Amino acid sequence: MHSKKQAPVKYYVGIDVGSASVRAALVDEFGTVVAHADQPIQIWEPQSDHYEQSSADIWTACCSVTKKVVCGVDASRIRGVGFDATCSLVVVDKQFQPLAVNCEGQNYRNVIMWMDHRAVSQVERINATQHKVLNYVGGVMSVEMQPPKLLWLKENLKESCWEKAGYFFDLPDFLSWKATGITARSLCTVVCKWTYTSDAGWDDSFWKMIGLEDLVKDKYEKIGNHVLSPGEPVGNGLTPEAAKDLGLPAGIAVAASLIDAHAGGLGVIGADVKGHNLPCENQPITSRVAMICGTSSCHMGVSETPIFVPGVWGPYFSAMVPGLWLNEGGQSATGKLIDHVVRGHVAFPELQSKAAASAHSIYTYLNSHLDLIKKSLPVGFLTVDLHVWPDFHGNRSPLTDLTLKGMVVGLTLSRGLDELALIYLATIQAIALGTRHILEAMEAAGHHINTLFLCGGLSKNPLFVQMHADITGKPVVLSKEVESVLVGAAILGACASGDFASIQVCSA
């Protein structure tokens, strides 16, 4: 965010709801993170492939971290708020009270998480229709999108949930509603996860064909008939109640939101890289892919004209960068997979104690341990006889097969720390190979990609970054500002405040 320096400095709040935590940052008008805070949120897994959260728990965490980052700052200098969040489904009744998305009737658990795979039969039936809207999701809808989840609710919780529901929100839109009292939806969420198109809107024939004609009858009030572009101001800004909750002044601008990966993409894809001799220097941003690496990974590439990539979501118009088409590849389990593999190994307690004794994180310790055992060869060669297939939670892109399972080939009877380190390395390599597969599919369809821009938690792991550079053969750029997702959210607030003319101006 660049503008002529003014006194006093203006600030914007970015609030990011990830899978396992909520984070907030106070960002100044020059794009510098002045303060940030985070707080964990709860995840329930009542049965296999069912993942649920609580919108009340999430909002409480949003308020807590926001109060921390604005503490001691002159409130009159805070000009706008932007939210991003995972593309999870929030269900409330006609009075906006939480409504259970589970058979137990626990109303506080009213969020079906993005990574929930309960709607397998529903998504298979939706894909069997071969409806034209599927052309804009890589030809095959994902079980992680909202229509199959809505159909599951209708078919499994008709009386307790479906018939009582007043509104179905994507989580980023729930947060902007909570802040403003306005039920407007973001173009980003409805285009990317709900089948809305920026030119034609909702397609009545699709909803009728899949058995959700009741959404058409109420003129889409339950899923959104007022759509705003990301960064547009929502209503009259913060309501007095929300302002009190967040520790901010009432009436300050609240922006139409973004999905978390899209906020990360917005935060890094336009970075100034002059003077580093990178292949993307003096090239349009269409030569770049932003990779947001956390619990899962998303691969965001933009184009001036629509590019249809089999197995890769999109093309979505203006869903991330206004005026450009977005393709979004992804891997459903990356950070979660690495954690699963490492923590499930018999040598994990030994790793934990040795990492604690050295005052390092378990991953910093593992990286150092690999350096000790690699001898003269580059570390990547350690796994010549050990291979991982990383689709433990199905394949999102480009195979679009949620039935795929994970696999490890080359195990021995070894139970020590060396073996744990090698499986950790092989898992990271497998994830990087998955990224290469996605990039190859995008390039075969017409993208021209020469540089990767990484952000998110995994981008702080140098081994993860190095393996992606080695395996894709492309240079990797890391932002000087590591909290790129939070900067992306703050850019939305800056745009909504009117201090900047557009998202492009904010992020330049």
Side-chain angles (χ1 to χ4, degrees):
M1 289 180 260
H2 296 297
S3 70
K4 291 180 181 178
K5 190 167 182 180
Q6 299 173 356
V9 173
K10 297 171 183 174
Y11 296 104
Y12 311 92
V13 176
I15 302 170
D16 163 50
V17 180
S19 299
S21 65
V22 174
R23 305 181 305 146
L26 185 68
V27 180
D28 69 19
E29 62 190 282
F30 310 107
T32 304
V33 174
V34 177
H36 66 92
D38 63 89
Q39 182 169 312
I41 49 178
Q42 197 160 351
I43 298 173
W44 288 268
E45 188 180 356
Q47 54 185 291
S48 179
D49 284 337
H50 288 229
Y51 295 93
E52 298 169 5
Q53 291 184 310
S54 159
S55 63
D57 177 49
I58 291 167
W59 180 250
T60 298
C62 289
C63 297
S64 175
V65 292
T66 302
K67 284 177 177 174
K68 286 177 184 174
V69 299
V70 302
C71 183
V73 176
D74 180 355
S76 67
R77 291 159 65 183
I78 302 173
R79 301 274 299 155
V81 180
F83 292 96
D84 73 76
T86 65
C87 49
S88 300
L89 178 67
V90 184
V91 185
V92 295
D93 65 18
K94 294 174 178 65
Q95 287 74 47
F96 295 97
Q97 296 303 304
L99 206 52
V101 295
N102 48 74
C103 300
E104 297 87 356
Q106 301 287 343
N107 282 333
Y108 61 91
R109 285 163 36 204
N110 68 318
V111 180
I112 300 179
M113 286 189 73
W114 63 270
M115 62 184 181
D116 185 289
H117 282 192
R118 70 182 66 183
V120 172
S121 69
Q122 287 77 16
V123 81
E124 287 173 350
R125 280 180 274 140
I126 290 171
N127 285 326
T129 67
Q130 298 185 322
H131 194 280
K132 62 184 180 181
V133 299
L134 301 178
N135 293 334
Y136 288 87
V137 291
V140 181
M141 179 167 285
S142 168
V143 71
E144 295 172 5
M145 292 181 175
Q146 309 302 9
K149 293 174 183 173
L150 293 169
L151 188 56
W152 187 93
L153 289 173
K154 183 176 180 178
E155 293 178 346
N156 291 273
L157 300 175
K158 188 169 185 178
E159 291 183 8
S160 62
C161 178
W162 185 258
E163 291 178 351
K164 294 180 179 178
Y167 301 90
F168 301 100
F169 288 104
D170 217 277
L171 181 54
D173 295 325
F174 169 82
L175 296 171
S176 61
W177 164 76
K178 190 74 175 172
T180 64
I182 302 296
T183 61
R185 308 310 206 271
S186 167
L187 183 69
C188 174
T189 59
V190 292
V191 164
C192 295
K193 307 301 173 187
W194 299 71
T195 75
Y196 189 90
T197 59
S198 45
D199 56 345
W202 299 114
D203 188 315
D204 294 358
S205 67
F206 169 71
W207 297 100
K208 291 174 181 176
M209 186 178 285
I210 69 170
L212 293 179
E213 62 285 342
D214 20 0
L215 297 176
V216 182
K217 288 176 187 171
D218 71 13
K219 297 179 181 176
Y220 298 104
E221 184 183 7
K222 289 183 179 179
I223 62 173
N225 49 25
H226 180 203
V227 177
L228 298 173
S229 293
E232 272 194 77
V234 181
N236 296 315
L238 277 183
T239 64
E241 182 183 4
K244 184 179 178 183
D245 287 347
L246 292 163
L248 293 169
I252 68 168
V254 175
S257 55
L258 280 170
I259 298 166
D260 55 348
H262 301 62
L266 184 65
V268 297
I269 202 166
D272 181 0
V273 295
K274 288 189 177 79
H276 295 282
N277 200 30
L278 287 163
C280 63
E281 187 174 347
N282 300 318
Q283 296 292 314
I285 65 168
T286 53
S287 66
R288 308 175 177 193
V289 158
M291 186 173 161
I292 298 83
C293 332
T295 303
S296 63
S297 289
C298 296
H299 307 72
M300 323 292 278
V302 293
S303 57
E304 292 183 0
T305 57
I307 298 175
F308 293 84
V309 186
V312 173
W313 297 344
Y316 302 134
F317 185 65
S318 288
M320 185 174 78
V321 180
L324 293 178
W325 295 84
L326 169 70
N327 281 111
E328 178 185 353
Q331 296 159 290
S332 291
T334 49
K336 187 174 177 64
L337 174 61
I338 295 167
D339 258 6
H340 174 78
V341 168
V342 170
R343 293 178 183 275
H345 195 276
V346 68
F348 179 68
E350 180 189 354
L351 168 64
Q352 228 176 354
S353 61
K354 286 187 173 178
S358 66
H360 288 124
S361 74
I362 57 173
Y363 295 116
T364 300
Y365 189 88
L366 279 174
N367 293 349
S368 300
H369 192 76
L370 285 166
D371 283 336
L372 287 176
I373 62 177
K374 73 178 183 180
K375 298 177 183 171
S376 59
L377 288 172
V379 70
F381 286 87
L382 285 170
T383 52
V384 67
D385 296 318
L386 182 63
H387 310 287
V388 173
W389 182 265
D391 294 327
F392 284 47
H393 199 50
N395 182 284
R396 186 189 296 169
S397 305
L399 301 178
T400 64
D401 188 344
L402 61 90
T403 68
L404 285 177
K405 303 292 187 286
M407 181 166 58
V408 184
V409 177
L411 290 174
T412 69
L413 294 175
S414 172
R415 295 161 56 87
L417 198 53
D418 283 5
E419 189 208 39
L420 170 51
L422 292 178
I423 291 179
Y424 159 70
L425 171 60
T427 302
I428 287 176
Q429 289 173 322
I431 291 167
L433 285 161
T435 291
R436 189 171 86 178
H437 195 187
I438 290 166
L439 297 179
E440 287 171 349
M442 293 174 71
E443 289 170 332
H447 282 276
H448 301 285
I449 300 159
N450 57 34
T451 312
L452 296 180
F453 287 69
L454 265 61
C455 67
L458 288 177
S459 71
K460 299 171 188 176
N461 182 334
L463 182 69
F464 185 90
V465 175
Q466 188 63 57
M467 288 302 105
H468 274 76
D470 291 350
I471 287 169
T472 65
K474 298 184 190 297
V476 172
V477 176
L478 298 178
S479 174
K480 189 175 180 181
E481 176 48 71
V482 296
E483 301 297 346
S484 301
V485 179
L486 285 166
V487 171
I491 284 171
L492 297 174
C495 188
S497 73
D499 293 342
F500 295 83
S502 68
I503 280 181
Q504 285 95 326
V505 172
C506 292
S507 54

